[in-house]
Amino acid sequence: QVQLVESGGGLVQAGATLRLSCAASGRTLDYYTIGWFRQAPGKEREAVSCINSSDGTTYYADSVKGRFTISRDSTKNTMYLQMNSLKPDDTAVYYCAALNGIVVGLPLPGSMDFWGKGTLVTVSS
């Protein structure tokens, strides 16, 4: 079992920067494909970014490419999502998740094995 806890959300203005953290316990994240998802009000949960467990390849949704960066710190068993140039459309609850497997491209939410409870990001215009 892997327990995931997100932090770092908040209310910011458009153009601002936030860094989300996801602390893991139970098992090391090094052997999992890890990712960030988000769910805006009235919309389905969607993948934002992930790091493949096999070779560290990163994937990004087109809507965040060039603005968001996913990373992980093995020494802290923590992953991050650096979010720059935030837009009102980025407003959502952000979730971190882990998959005991390999992906090619962004995974579907139903593919993930473990989830955090989410952190709210609100971007005002």
Side-chain angles (χ1 to χ4, degrees), residues 5-85:
V5 179
E6 304 94 338
S7 61
L11 171 63
V12 297
Q13 291 188 329
T17 293
L18 277 177
R19 189 176 79 156
L20 304 183
S21 300
C22 175
S25 59
R27 291 189 176 180
T28 176
L29 288 179
D30 287 355
Y31 304 111
Y32 290 84
T33 289
I34 55 176
W36 289 94
F37 294 74
R38 67 185 181 185
Q39 188 165 18
K43 296 186 177 181
E44 293 187 353
R45 193 170 299 189
E46 62 177 359
V48 175
S49 181
C50 73
I51 298 178
N52 204 331
S53 63
S54 61
D55 58 6
T57 301
T58 57
Y59 300 96
Y60 294 93
D62 288 343
S63 58
V64 306
K65 203 169 293 184
R67 298 189 297 122
F68 290 11
T69 303
I70 190 171
S71 62
R72 69 169 142 203
D73 185 337
S74 297
T75 64
K76 297 181 179 179
N77 209 24
T78 298
M79 64 174 168
Y80 304 96
L81 185 67
Q82 179 70 37
M83 306 188 294
N84 299 331
S85 303

Side-chain angles (χ1 to χ4, degrees), residues 81-123:
L81 185 67
Q82 179 70 37
M83 306 188 294
N84 299 331
S85 303
L86 282 161
K87 304 176 181 180
D89 284 349
D90 295 319
T91 294
V93 177
Y94 284 72
Y95 300 88
C96 61
L99 164 66
N100 188 9
I102 299 170
V103 298
V104 178
L106 291 171
L108 293 174
S111 300
M112 308 306 286
D113 296 317
F114 305 102
W115 290 90
K117 293 185 178 182
T119 185
L120 177 63
V121 173
T122 304
V123 184

